[in-house]
Amino acid sequence: MQIKQADFVTSAKGVAGCPEWQLPEFAFIGRSNVGKSSLINMLTNRKDLAKVSSTPGKTRLLNFFKVNGNWSLVDLPGYGFAKVAKSEKFDFNELVGDYLEQREQLRRLFVLIDSRLKPQRIDLDFLAWAGGIGVPVSLVFTKADKQSVKKTRDSVALFYEMLEGLIEELPESFVSSSKARDGRKELLGAIGRDLE
Ligand code: GTP
Ligand code: MG
């Protein structure tokens, strides 16, 4: 799929503030700093469309981007970021939870996993919960440029071992590097198939 146009539309702090459109939405979630915003920029070929930061917790609202006039990417706040006030952390989760449970336009949820880390409890817990919302889920193993192909492969295999028995239908997965621009064709291809 070619990206002809990508524009920021709005930031919402609740489901009520989401765009009143009927465009299919593809949302990106995962731990803070895993590379959600970077991946959106890589996919759209835009350097600063989504705000990137080395400080975890950069994205705090639901950010909507309209692509090619007929579908949307949604950049979500990260989960598992403890360095914010407790009340704020709770709002994060509620905001994301409401969106994921209530938004009818949500076509697919991409759950980003840091390819360098051993399976993290918070990712597994999130995936177990997400299995219940009735939205198709795909995994994206990020930052693959930071280590060898073999390490990434082992990391993905270990993650799938942990998923066995935890969720009924094992999701498809992608390996990405926003820096090396890896995984772009595959991810856009998957979105394109969903849009057919
Ligand atoms: P929050 O909005 O805080 O939840 O973070 P996020 O998941 O949106 O992460 P973001 O895209 O802001 O990236 C976090 C940091 O990781 C930044 O310093 C990025 O430059 C870096 N980063 C993201 N993706 C990659 C990648 O594929 N390779 C490398 N080497 N660095 C990456
Ligand atoms: Mg972000």
Side-chain angles (χ1 to χ4, degrees):
M1 184 189 350
Q2 305 274 354
I3 302 295
K4 296 185 196 104
Q5 204 183 356
D7 298 297
F8 170 73
V9 175
T10 193
S11 295
K13 58 176 192 284
V15 174
C18 294
E20 287 180 36
W21 59 29
Q22 288 307 319
L23 304 183
E25 293 170 0
F26 296 84
F28 293 75
I29 186 85
R31 290 167 64 238
S32 259
N33 216 39
V34 70
K36 302 173 291 293
S37 301
S38 303
L39 185 63
I40 286 178
N41 290 337
M42 190 267 268
L43 292 176
T44 53
N45 275 331
R46 293 274 301 276
K47 234 173 85 191
D48 296 311
L49 192 61
K51 296 286 167 272
V52 168
S53 167
S54 54
T55 315
K58 178 69 182 170
T59 307
R60 301 200 170 201
L61 302 168
L62 315 172
N63 296 298
F64 292 83
F65 305 93
K66 192 178 188 176
V67 186
N68 290 353
N70 60 358
W71 57 280
S72 169
L73 289 168
V74 186
D75 191 12
L76 299 175
Y79 54 69
F81 175 51
K83 275 192 202 147
V84 286
K86 218 179 188 150
S87 57
E88 198 177 348
K89 189 179 162 206
F90 180 76
D91 285 344
F92 268 18
N93 296 339
E94 197 174 69
L95 174 62
V96 171
D98 284 353
Y99 170 80
L100 296 176
E101 284 179 333
Q102 295 171 25
R103 187 74 170 164
E104 283 171 12
Q105 290 86 333
L106 179 60
R107 181 68 61 87
R108 181 173 296 277
L109 179 64
F110 290 99
V111 181
L112 277 60
I113 312 283
D114 191 324
S115 68
R116 299 167 301 169
L117 304 182
K118 289 206 190 78
Q120 303 285 301
R121 188 76 256 162
I122 193 164
D123 291 326
L124 297 166
D125 286 349
F126 178 81
L127 283 164
W129 175 83
I133 58 172
V135 170
V137 167
S138 300
L139 305 181
V140 184
F141 291 89
T142 64
K143 305 194 184 184
D145 59 279
K146 290 198 172 215
Q147 63 183 3
S148 69
V149 171
K150 182 182 183 305
K151 280 222 165 111
T152 299
R153 205 187 302 132
D154 291 349
S155 192
V156 171
L158 191 58
F159 198 87
Y160 270 89
E161 269 176 40
M162 300 294 290
L163 281 180
E164 293 273 356
L166 189 72
I167 50 179
E168 262 175 47
E169 220 176 305
L170 291 177
E172 68 176 335
S173 66
F174 303 88
V175 170
S176 78
S177 164
S178 298
K179 201 174 167 198
R181 306 182 59 74
D182 286 336
R184 184 172 187 273
K185 210 179 96 195
E186 291 78 5
L187 281 161
L188 290 177
I191 291 172
R193 280 194 298 282
D194 278 345
L195 291 174
E196 271 168 18

